[in-house]
């Protein structure tokens, strides 16, 4: 009897292996851009390291590219999606509304701190001083402008120092004396605190300043593969669930893409988890659209006054996943109240 069982087991193994190989071979290779090494990219890191992309049939290469590179990558076909800031997504869409589409949003609040030397006590003291930004009109520029507005300053009250690239270059501009202040994400500003620089304003303290990221695709990519956005969103939604449930794995996944002190990454995790910043039901929110278009329209260089976001924002996929019960299946029945609330706040 034992020989028969062993024989059956061996035959079963022989039959199963080709099936598994075949399934593995069916994974769709694709690339996704992450534009920041920060908490905003965390769902992608976990989806990759935790096997959630693979679960939904994708073999994903996560490709870093700061600023406008993400939009360039999806436009050229080098990436299927970019986790774009809403500012850049709307600016790019306003120039070509028939090419791009925003299908969801995983983050609406960011850990951005306006950093300055200890001698500067308040943003009010930045009048006529130099502020480093990556480029005029990008997301950190608009966030900085919104923060300055809370203290009675506008764009003409300071000198803007464009440095290109990402937060690292802005930090160098500050520490080298090229700039008197700059807006940095966590963990970029943690080492500066140890050097004596201080936070003079933090976006987290203002509920009306949004730092939203969006699932940005080209319509061409969605038309060619209609299931691709759904697969990515489902994978990253499960990754967000893992984020909230497994701190140790979340930290490990982050460190695979951003070599930081693990204690600093744990500090970021605790802040995001406590504030529940990663959206479990990722609608594009009406409040975020209004906040960001208002910020853009305050400056001639970034105006969106003649652009209708309805042309590019599509919450239909999230609506369908709600209707099909995906979020309730993923998070349990307790998600329903949050799901209903987000649905009412969604951009329509």
């Amino acid at each position: 009897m034992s020989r028969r069982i062993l024989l059956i087991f061996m035959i079963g193994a022989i039959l199963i292996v080709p099936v598994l190989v075949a399934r593995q071979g069916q994974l769709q290779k694709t690339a996704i851009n992450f534009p920041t090494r920060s908490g905003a990219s965390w769902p992608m890191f976990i989806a990759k390291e935790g096997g959630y992309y693979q679960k939904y049939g994708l073999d994903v290469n996560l490709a870093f590219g700061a600023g406008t590179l993400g939009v360039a990558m999806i436009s050229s076909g080098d990436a299927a999606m970019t986790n774009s800031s809403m500012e850049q997504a709307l600016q790019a869409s306003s120039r070509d509304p028939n090419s791009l589409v925003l299908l969801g949003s995983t983050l609406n609040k960011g850990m951005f701190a306006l950093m300055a030397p200890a001698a500067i006590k308040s943003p009010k003291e930045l009048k006529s001083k130099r502020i480093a930004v990556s480029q005029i009109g990008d997301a950190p520029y608009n966030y900085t402008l919104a923060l300055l507005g809370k203290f009675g300053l506008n764009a003409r009250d300071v000198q803007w120092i464009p440095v290109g690239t990402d937060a690292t270059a802005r930090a160098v501009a500050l520490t080298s004396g090229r700039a008197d202040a700059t807006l940095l994400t966590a963990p970029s500003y943690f080492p500066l605190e140890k050097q004596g620089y201080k936070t003079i304003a933090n976006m987290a303290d203002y509920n009306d300043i949004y730092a939203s990221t969006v699932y940005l695709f080209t319509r061409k990519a969605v038309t060619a593969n209609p299931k691709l956005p759904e697969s990515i969103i489902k994978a990253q939604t499960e990754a967000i669930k893992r984020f909230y449930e497994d701190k140790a794995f979340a930290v490990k996944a982050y460190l695979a893409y951003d070599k930081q002190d693990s204690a600093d990454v744990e500090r970021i995790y605790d802040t995001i988890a406590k504030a529940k910043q990663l959206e479990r039901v990722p609608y594009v929110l009406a409040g975020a659209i209004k906040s960001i278009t208002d910020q853009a329209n305050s400056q001639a260089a970034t105006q969106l006054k003649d652009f209708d976001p309805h042309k590019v924002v599509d919450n239909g996929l999230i609506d369908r996943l709600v209707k099909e019960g995906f979020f309730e299946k993923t998070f349990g029945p307790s998600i329903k109240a949050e799901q209903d609330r987000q649905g009412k706040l969604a951009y329509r």
Side-chain angles (χ1 to χ4, degrees):
M1 181 64 71
S2 60
R3 288 183 180 179
R4 288 183 61 190
I5 293 173
L6 179 61
L7 181 60
I8 292 170
F9 175 79
M10 292 175 66
I11 292 172
I14 291 170
L15 293 173
I16 289 171
V17 169
V19 173
L20 291 176
V21 172
R23 287 180 179 173
Q24 187 177 21
Q26 291 173 1
L27 290 179
Q28 178 188 348
K29 288 185 176 294
T30 190
I32 294 176
N33 164 256
F34 67 99
T36 64
R37 293 185 175 93
S38 69
S41 301
W42 220 320
M44 292 181 287
F45 299 161
I46 295 176
K48 175 68 173 181
E49 298 302 305
Y52 298 104
Y53 288 133
Q54 293 93 322
K55 176 180 176 179
Y56 288 98
L58 302 176
D59 179 5
V60 170
N61 172 43
L62 293 181
F64 176 71
T68 58
L69 287 178
V71 176
M73 288 177 71
I74 64 170
S75 297
S76 66
D78 291 331
M81 187 208 86
T82 176
N83 187 48
S84 174
S85 71
M86 187 177 286
E87 287 85 354
Q88 290 190 334
L90 291 177
Q91 291 289 349
S93 299
S94 69
R95 294 188 289 271
D96 191 3
N98 296 319
S99 295
L100 301 174
V101 60
L102 288 65
L103 296 180
S105 176
T106 58
L107 185 77
N108 285 293
K109 296 295 179 184
M111 295 177 63
F112 286 86
L114 187 59
M115 302 296 295
I120 296 177
K121 308 298 183 184
S122 165
K124 292 181 180 180
E125 299 176 28
L126 292 177
K127 189 170 185 178
S128 300
K129 296 191 181 297
R130 301 161 300 167
I131 299 180
V133 292
S134 294
Q135 56 188 357
I136 303 297
D138 70 359
Y141 169 82
N142 281 326
Y143 300 156
T144 304
L145 204 54
L147 273 176
L148 292 177
K150 298 295 183 181
F151 297 87
L153 301 180
N154 60 44
R156 294 181 295 276
D157 290 326
V158 300
Q159 301 175 50
W160 299 101
I161 310 295
V163 298
T165 65
D166 60 3
T168 301
R170 299 199 301 273
V172 170
L174 178 60
T175 57
S176 66
R178 187 180 172 193
D180 301 297
T182 192
L183 193 71
L184 297 174
T185 54
S188 298
Y189 64 81
F190 294 168
L192 272 65
E193 292 175 331
K194 299 172 184 176
Q195 298 176 45
Y197 294 88
K198 61 181 291 186
T199 298
I200 57 174
N202 197 305
M203 280 181 57
D205 297 329
Y206 300 93
N207 291 329
D208 58 343
I209 302 178
Y210 286 80
S212 301
T213 61
V214 295
Y215 290 102
L216 184 65
F217 294 83
T218 63
R219 294 186 186 277
K220 181 179 179 181
V222 175
T223 300
N225 190 348
K227 292 291 291 183
L228 180 62
E230 178 179 338
S231 296
I232 292 174
I233 289 174
K234 283 183 172 181
Q236 293 187 193
T237 297
E238 291 201 29
I240 289 172
K241 180 176 186 289
R242 182 77 178 270
F243 173 88
Y244 286 119
E245 294 178 348
D246 192 345
K247 176 179 178 179
F249 182 80
V251 170
K252 180 181 178 182
Y254 186 98
L255 290 171
Y257 297 88
D258 188 9
K259 304 301 182 185
Q260 297 284 341
D261 186 313
S262 60
D264 286 343
V265 178
E266 289 182 17
R267 176 181 169 186
I268 304 171
Y269 176 92
D270 290 340
T271 301
I272 293 175
K274 181 179 180 180
K276 294 182 172 57
Q277 291 181 351
L278 293 178
E279 302 286 5
R280 300 193 297 175
V281 185
Y283 278 111
V284 178
L285 301 182
I289 293 285
K290 183 180 186 306
S291 172
I292 287 163
T293 53
D294 285 350
Q295 290 171 29
N297 290 338
S298 67
Q299 297 300 309
T302 61
Q303 284 188 355
L304 294 167
K305 286 182 178 178
D306 298 325
F307 176 64
D308 181 6
H310 288 100
K311 294 179 179 179
V312 295
V313 177
D314 184 355
N315 276 313
L317 174 55
I318 307 302
D319 281 335
R320 178 165 63 78
L321 292 178
V322 167
K323 186 176 181 180
E324 292 174 354
F326 170 73
F327 298 105
E328 289 186 61
K329 179 181 177 182
T330 301
F331 296 105
S334 62
I335 195 69
K336 194 174 186 309
E338 180 179 334
Q339 185 174 265
D340 293 344
R341 182 175 66 252
Q342 292 293 91
K344 292 175 182 177
L345 295 174
Y347 187 72
R348 304 294 185 187

